[in-house]
Amino acid sequence: MDAVDVLIVGAGFAGLRALHTFRGMGKRTVVLEASAGIGGVWYHNAYPGARCDVESYDYSYSFSPELEQEWRWSERYATQPEILRYIEHVADRFDLRRDIRLETRMSSAVFDEATDRWTVTASTGQRWTAQHLVLCLGQLSSTKAPAFPGQDQFAGRIIHSGEWPRDKVGFAGERVAIIGTGSSGMQMTPVIAREAAHLTVFQRTPNYSVPAANAPLTEAEDRAVKAHYPERRAAARNSPTGLGFKVNRVSALDVPAEERETAYEAAWDRYGFGFALVYHDILLSKDANDTAADFIRRKIAAKIEKPALREKLVPKDHAFAARRPSVDSGYFEAFNRNNVELADVREAPIVEFTATGIRTLAKAHAFDTIIFATGFDAFTGSLLKPEIVGRGGITLKRKWAAGPVSQLGVAVAGFPNMHIVAGPGSPSLLSNVMVSIEEQIDWFARLVRTMDERGIGAVEAEAEAERAWVEHVNERARETLYMTADSYYNGAEVAGKPRVFMPYSGGVRGYRRILERCEADGYPGFRLVARDGRAAVRPTAA
Ligand SMILES: Cc1cc2nc3c(=O)[nH]c(=O)nc-3n(C[C@H](O)[C@H](O)[C@H](O)COP(=O)(O)OP(=O)(O)OC[C@H]3O[C@@H](n4cnc5c(N)ncnc54)[C@H](O)[C@@H]3O)c2cc1C
């Protein structure tokens, strides 16, 4: 059994950053990764059309000015292959691979109260002990696949967007089905439509989408960004969602309709996700939201030529951005093609899969390939798969049976020295996740340094502080429209999952300030136990 200081699980953006940071502090560090490659989301989601929906310059590491200067993004929103190339480059440039164990899934982690260390067992049978367990398991890393009657009978291919095969998948001459119209379904539709003989998109919930207005990045643009990268990063860290947009303090309801229309028009094919920030109350007030939603509906409707399809594709049943909206490149326009068909499963539900395709209440469809773009068991899916056992034999599964609880989104009472990156209780998927990942890892690194300097062997969330944080997360969510829609933010998309709002909606800037205050005040809400004598100690406030 190998002993390390820090054991990191997951080799996506978060795990690689954690490895670089902790190893740089002189810690013996190892990363366990279940897959055969590094990259996390960007390894698994290799479907056609996959790309980031936060601009490439912002959806990238900020820890190395040299890396920032030498990497050249080719498009405003980079494709999955380009992002994976970037991740591979980072791994090589910072010599990360030697401490990453691929095809090594953490199956259990058990905390030993006598030594304040975790014992981690992998699917390969290997075991490690570690003082710190850093969970970088991802938010969208457990796929959710439906089980339709007769699914096994289907003679063609079934592929999940989040477990895309490594070999190139061709669709030329094929009849293809895409089930699901979230971000993945919306991204792949126009691309597959161009290649397949026929494409049928199965839609349950029509989704809002803002145009990506993706474009190649010119040399001049690249130089301009690189000349001011520190300012750009600071703007991202200080914006609510890590995108760099300043909040407009004006209410959508306090401006005349024509002025609002002009503002929405100006933002429409430039802002991407930032569209939700044109006015400060778009996600806070239904009336304000209606102004944005109405604008988007008109814009979407104008793209769709057939009136019957327009009626079905325009979203109406939820507030804009209450579910994660998409940032698309030609999704709605794809339905103007003769080879693309919409199957509305609210109108005609899927009855069963057959050997040749899918039978709905309306008709039998024949397919060669069926793609599940059905999303993920978000936030908690991967955290609850391994057996994680804390003090007194309590498991994370039992502790989170009614939904995830944590102190500040970083620690869980009963699970000392376990650090969760970009998980529930933190801004996570409500932000540019890259900003959230880097902020949290730097905070963990400073906590670990403080522990070393003060002879502290274990840090653990206090149950009372945890209750208060969960209440605060809920309180912030109640101020928004997020709970008015079924979404992966609140667990409604997974049968049997507790319906609780999981991410922190107070913004990355507000969240960072809370973490910094906690650190400056000597970590209130955490119990710090000295290595010798087991006495609780508290570092003095800085
Ligand atoms: C298609 C897609 C597009 C996205 N685009 C954006 C975007 O534009 N902007 C944005 O901010 N966010 C985006 N996201 C969200 C994305 O989750 C984060 O941005 C980010 O990539 C998460 O990195 P991570 O390292 O935290 O997790 P992941 O990349 O999910 O990595 C987690 C890793 O942990 C591994 N793992 C899980 N369980 C175990 C185990 N038990 N043992 C060992 N290894 C394990 C997984 O195999 C995976 O490699 C997107 C997500 C998807 C699916």
Side-chain angles (χ1 to χ4, degrees):
M1 184 151 60
D2 287 339
V4 293
D5 300 315
V6 180
L7 187 139
I8 298 161
V9 195
F13 269 130
L16 298 186
R17 173 62 152 84
L19 170 58
H20 178 67
T21 301
F22 285 109
R23 211 173 62 183
M25 291 165 65
K27 297 282 174 200
R28 284 169 306 163
T29 308
V30 69
V31 179
L32 310 189
E33 167 55 54
S35 319
I38 61 169
V41 151
W42 301 104
Y43 176 83
H44 295 287
N45 292 264
Y47 57 82
R51 57 175 79 239
C52 54
D53 47 22
V54 166
E55 290 190 33
S56 318
Y57 285 120
D58 303 307
Y59 191 60
S60 54
Y61 290 118
S62 68
F63 67 85
S64 163
E66 296 78 23
L67 173 67
E68 277 176 343
Q69 292 299 321
E70 73 198 18
W71 184 261
R72 173 70 164 88
W73 292 108
S74 68
E75 289 178 85
R76 187 174 177 209
Y77 298 100
T79 58
Q80 173 271 334
E82 186 169 3
I83 299 173
L84 193 56
R85 271 201 305 281
Y86 170 77
I87 294 172
E88 303 265 348
H89 169 75
V90 171
D92 292 332
R93 193 190 189 290
F94 297 97
D95 189 22
L96 301 178
R97 292 185 200 268
R98 65 185 155 95
D99 289 320
I100 302 173
R101 307 287 169 265
L102 297 175
E103 296 182 276
T104 307
R105 176 177 291 279
M106 174 176 86
S107 42
S108 74
V110 180
F111 186 71
D112 178 354
E113 293 180 55
T115 58
D116 284 339
R117 291 178 71 84
W118 287 92
T119 300
V120 171
T121 306
S123 50
T124 54
Q126 288 158 287
R127 297 170 83 203
W128 289 263
T129 71
Q131 185 188 4
H132 296 281
L133 178 65
V134 182
L135 299 179
C136 300
L137 299 174
Q139 313 72 35
L140 302 176
S141 50
S142 269
T143 53
K144 181 166 64 77
F148 291 105
Q151 210 165 291
D152 292 347
Q153 297 173 37
F154 179 59
R157 286 187 296 198
I158 295 182
I159 311 175
H160 195 293
S161 63
E163 292 165 2
W164 202 260
R166 301 321 296 164
D167 297 332
K168 186 171 164 35
V169 180
F171 299 105
E174 285 202 0
R175 297 154 304 172
V176 180
I178 297 175
I179 301 182
T181 57
S183 287
S184 303
M186 281 178 146
Q187 284 188 334
M188 68 176 77
T189 290
V191 185
I192 295 178
R194 287 197 289 273
E195 193 188 341
H198 189 84
L199 172 65
T200 308
V201 178
F202 287 80
Q203 169 188 276
R204 186 189 56 187
T205 310
N207 229 340
Y208 291 93
S209 185
V210 177
N214 187 35
L217 291 164
T218 64
E219 286 304 319
E221 279 169 305
D222 192 56
R223 271 196 305 276
V225 170
K226 288 177 177 169
H228 299 283
Y229 230 142
E231 293 91 320
R232 187 173 176 119
R233 297 296 194 183
R237 293 172 75 232
N238 287 306
S239 65
T241 49
L243 295 172
F245 292 101
K246 283 213 179 79
V247 192
N248 181 355
R249 296 271 163 222
V250 178
S251 161
L253 304 173
D254 284 347
V255 291
E258 308 87 80
E259 187 183 323
R260 212 166 43 216
E261 188 77 5
T262 309
Y264 285 147
E265 195 64 59
W268 177 240
D269 50 14
R270 285 187 44 230
Y271 277 27
F273 274 135
F275 191 86
L277 299 171
V278 173
Y279 294 105
H280 90 93
D281 50 357
I282 288 179
L283 261 159
L284 304 179
S285 135
K286 176 73 172 61
D287 289 342
N289 193 282
D290 282 345
T291 67
D294 172 65
F295 177 88
I296 299 173
R297 284 187 203 115
R298 281 186 279 122
K299 283 289 191 191
I300 292 175
K303 297 179 187 198
I304 306 160
E305 287 163 8
K306 296 174 198 135
L309 271 182
R310 210 178 286 150
E311 186 52 34
K312 289 184 175 147
L313 284 164
V314 169
K316 315 179 192 54
D317 66 351
H318 62 284
F320 165 60
R323 296 163 62 86
R324 188 180 165 95
S326 205
V327 178
D328 74 286
S329 297
Y331 172 71
F332 297 103
E333 294 86 338
F335 289 91
N336 297 332
R337 298 174 64 101
N338 290 330
N339 67 334
V340 178
E341 178 184 349
L342 183 75
D344 182 340
V345 299
R346 284 205 176 145
E347 199 176 271
I350 293 175
V351 177
E352 61 173 354
F353 279 35
T354 62
T356 53
I358 293 177
R359 192 168 66 79
T360 70
L361 270 187
K363 72 179 211 188
H365 300 258
F367 297 118
D368 302 295
T369 299
I370 297 174
I371 300 169
F372 287 156
T374 41
F376 303 88
D377 181 356
F379 295 102
T380 54
S382 290
L383 283 163
L384 294 179
K385 273 187 189 152
E387 195 68 359
I388 301 181
V389 187
R391 272 198 301 108
I394 183 159
T395 63
L396 193 63
K397 268 185 212 113
R398 208 170 89 215
K399 170 108 192 193
W400 283 9
V405 293
S406 69
Q407 156 65 335
L408 305 183
V410 294
V412 181
F415 298 81
N417 294 356
M418 183 178 91
H419 314 286
I420 303 176
V421 179
S426 79
S428 187
L429 291 174
L430 289 180
S431 66
N432 169 358
V433 180
M434 204 58 170
V435 172
S436 292
I437 284 172
E438 294 206 279
E439 299 269 2
Q440 272 185 337
I441 290 172
D442 287 338
W443 190 85
F444 287 134
R446 295 194 299 275
L447 169 64
V448 167
R449 191 171 295 128
T450 302
M451 290 173 71
D452 291 348
E453 286 166 3
R454 312 276 167 108
I456 294 163
V459 57
E460 182 184 348
E462 287 174 347
E464 194 41 52
E466 191 174 72
R467 271 191 289 279
W469 180 250
V470 170
E471 182 43 37
H472 178 62
V473 170
N474 289 335
E475 210 174 270
R476 295 309 303 254
R478 280 194 293 271
E479 294 163 9
T480 71
L481 297 171
Y482 286 122
M483 286 305 273
T484 62
D486 288 349
S487 74
Y488 67 42
Y489 298 139
N490 55 37
E493 308 243 283
V494 177
K497 193 164 172 168
R499 193 174 166 128
V500 291
F501 191 72
M502 286 177 279
Y504 177 59
S505 57
V508 293
R509 178 161 170 261
Y511 179 72
R512 186 182 74 247
R513 287 184 168 171
I514 291 169
L515 286 185
E516 284 172 353
R517 161 93 5 236
C518 172
E519 182 181 348
D521 289 349
Y523 300 101
F526 291 87
R527 191 164 157 264
L528 301 139
V529 181
R531 260 191 219 110
D532 55 342
R534 326 283 310 141
V537 292
R538 186 163 297 290
T540 42

